[in-house]
Amino acid sequence: VATILIILLCGVILLMLSVKTGLCIVLGALLCALYYKRFVMKEFGGVTGDTSGFFLQLCELSCLFAATIGVYL
């Protein structure tokens, strides 16, 4: 429950700072999480420590890319 509240709070803060950029980052993270869940269930049958590290890197890069797009829109 606490983790979900922190995630929601961070999303709200991002949207308060810049609506365009915050929306791009939140959308990028959400799409990344959905892709990750589908990928690990299909390929591995579940989450492992290695796939969690993969998710972390993928999510960081997708948020960075989404922020870059949001700034230049």
Side-chain angles (χ1 to χ4, degrees):
V1 175
T3 305
I4 293 172
L5 290 175
I6 291 172
I7 291 170
L8 291 174
L9 180 64
C10 288
V12 168
I13 291 171
L14 279 170
L15 291 171
M16 285 173 44
L17 291 173
S18 173
V19 176
K20 281 190 316 186
T21 305
L23 189 61
C24 286
I25 293 171
V26 169
L27 186 62
L30 182 63
L31 290 174
C32 180
L34 292 174
Y35 167 75
Y36 169 72
K37 182 180 178 188
R38 182 172 172 252
F39 175 74
V40 297
M41 294 308 254
K42 180 181 175 186
E43 295 294 324
F44 301 103
V47 177
T48 66
D50 288 337
T51 60
S52 294
F54 166 72
F55 170 69
L56 180 65
Q57 294 296 311
L58 184 68
C59 193
E60 287 174 349
L61 289 173
S62 67
C63 286
L64 179 63
F65 183 67
T68 305
I69 290 173
V71 168
Y72 291 106
L73 279 180

